[in-house]
Amino acid sequence: MVKKEPIVLPADQSDAEDFDVTAEAMDRGQRARLIRKVRSGLGLSQADFAERFRVPVGTLRDWEQARATAPDFAVAYVRVIQAAPELVMKTLAA
């Protein structure tokens, strides 16, 4: 038996290209948005952010484009970067 995920955002019936969004997809999208906003808020390209904070650039792109769900530890790391980017860079340099 295939378990269907509950729909948290139904498709807009007036838009033929719209689609239902599951809870998992919504979570993945919210994580992607957080990561993208933190990076862009620091004024960094994906390549610069990835290099500075030691995240593989391909992984960062997948997370930001919601092709992959950023794990909880990554979301926590991004929140620490958001709160204290200089401290994180100093710690990584040590």
Side-chain angles (χ1 to χ4, degrees):
M1 183 165 101
V2 175
K3 181 181 174 189
K4 291 191 73 162
E5 284 194 63
I7 303 302
V8 295
L9 182 64
D12 180 349
Q13 298 301 314
S14 66
D15 182 351
E17 295 183 30
D18 200 16
F19 52 89
D20 293 336
V21 178
T22 63
E24 180 185 346
M26 183 71 84
D27 181 54
R28 187 171 54 248
Q30 289 173 329
R31 289 169 185 244
R33 179 180 288 163
L34 169 70
I35 294 166
R36 196 171 47 254
K37 287 176 80 171
V38 169
R39 178 189 55 76
S40 63
L42 294 172
L44 299 172
S45 68
Q46 287 178 333
D48 290 338
F49 185 93
E51 182 180 340
R52 221 173 260 196
F53 297 109
R54 299 184 186 171
V55 177
V57 71
T59 300
L60 179 64
R61 285 187 186 126
D62 286 347
W63 291 343
E64 284 194 9
Q65 294 170 6
R67 287 192 299 243
T69 303
D72 291 344
F73 78 86
V75 172
Y77 182 45
V78 168
R79 287 187 172 138
V80 171
I81 291 168
Q82 181 180 33
E86 297 299 324
L87 178 61
V88 174
M89 286 187 293
K90 181 179 174 184
T91 301
L92 290 171

